[in-house]
Amino acid sequence: MGVMKVIEILSSSDVSWEEATRKGVAEASKTLKHIRSAYVQEQSAVVNEDGKVTEYRVNLKLSFEIK
């Protein structure tokens, strides 16, 4: 195993925290190669006046190998 780097990204979804995580990793993989793991550091949700969740947000730490 080589040298690893960790970055932090934010992602959101109107469906679930899992989808927000998948979307964040998919978008990051367009420019980052060799992503090895995603750690969900924090989760939050936006709630409207009616008490309904309208957006799920995750703060992710992505680890990737530098080659």
Side-chain angles (χ1 to χ4, degrees):
M1 180 162 87
V3 176
M4 303 295 286
K5 184 170 183 172
V6 178
I7 64 166
E8 189 171 331
I9 67 168
L10 305 173
S11 182
S12 65
S13 164
D14 57 354
V15 176
S16 68
W17 284 297
E18 291 84 1
E19 182 178 285
T21 301
R22 282 192 291 274
K23 285 173 60 176
V25 171
E27 190 64 28
S29 70
K30 292 179 182 177
T31 56
L32 296 175
K33 303 300 178 209
H34 314 294
I35 295 174
R36 298 291 181 241
S37 67
Y39 170 71
V40 178
Q41 182 177 7
E42 188 175 306
Q43 297 174 318
S44 62
V46 176
V47 180
N48 69 12
E49 307 113 21
D50 299 330
K52 307 263 186 207
V53 174
T54 59
E55 185 178 27
Y56 299 87
R57 296 177 178 172
V58 291
N59 183 334
L60 299 169
K61 287 195 174 188
L62 299 179
S63 302
F64 59 98
E65 187 173 0
I66 298 175
K67 291 193 175 192

